Amino acid sequence: MPQYAPDLDLRDTALRYATEVHGSVKKRAAKALGLDYGMFRRFLKGGSASPEHRQSIRNALERAGYEIAKKHNIAHEIPVDVTRSMLTQLLQALDAYQGTAAAGQSN
């Protein structure tokens, strides 16, 4: 069975829905959302599910009026020139690293 990275933002929203609307009764929450109980319970436990199941959970929660909040919001915008400078420095560092790694392998 393939391993999927957890979607903690979606899991937190689903848990919040189950708690606020259904008193933490996961079976009742799954039924109200129109989701398979076993799949929903496994998702709530670990936060991992196939992309298709995640999308069905996301759609069901949005239909129920629950917005999936992202915890990693950017507080302010970064100017394009600052971003360009950081990326240029990163590329230069990678080029230097790759150059020393290639020199070490050729000896």
Side-chain angles (χ1 to χ4, degrees), residues 3-7 11 39 42-50 54:
Q3 293 288 329
Y4 297 104
D7 186 338
R11 187 195 70 185
M39 179 272 297
R42 285 189 303 275
F43 177 76
L44 291 178
K45 184 176 180 183
S48 297
S50 70
R54 281 186 199 193

Side-chain angles (χ1 to χ4, degrees), residues 7-18:
D7 186 338
L8 300 179
D9 294 328
L10 182 59
R11 187 195 70 185
D12 291 346
T13 303
L15 281 170
R16 194 181 55 170
Y17 169 80

Side-chain angles (χ1 to χ4, degrees), residues 24-79:
S24 296
V25 179
K26 292 159 183 65
K27 189 169 191 172
R28 196 177 334 154
K31 185 176 181 182
L33 292 171
L35 299 170
D36 176 68
Y37 168 65
M39 179 272 297
F40 188 63
R41 184 180 46 80
R42 285 189 303 275
F43 177 76
L44 291 178
K45 184 176 180 183
S48 297
S50 70
E52 297 83 14
H53 287 154
R54 281 186 199 193
Q55 192 60 49
S56 65
I57 293 168
R58 179 173 275 108
N59 292 344
L61 287 169
E62 287 174 355
R63 278 192 308 271
Y66 274 72
E67 194 70 30
I68 291 77
K70 298 287 183 190
K71 292 182 181 176
H72 45 278
N73 292 335
I74 297 173
H76 56 84
E77 289 189 30
I78 300 172

Side-chain angles (χ1 to χ4, degrees), residues 73-85:
N73 292 335
I74 297 173
H76 56 84
E77 289 189 30
I78 300 172
V80 174
D81 56 334
V82 173
T83 304
R84 182 176 287 119
S85 174

Side-chain angles (χ1 to χ4, degrees), residues 81-93:
D81 56 334
V82 173
T83 304
R84 182 176 287 119
S85 174
M86 289 186 323
L87 291 173
T88 302
Q89 292 175 31
L90 178 60
L91 287 172
Q92 290 170 347

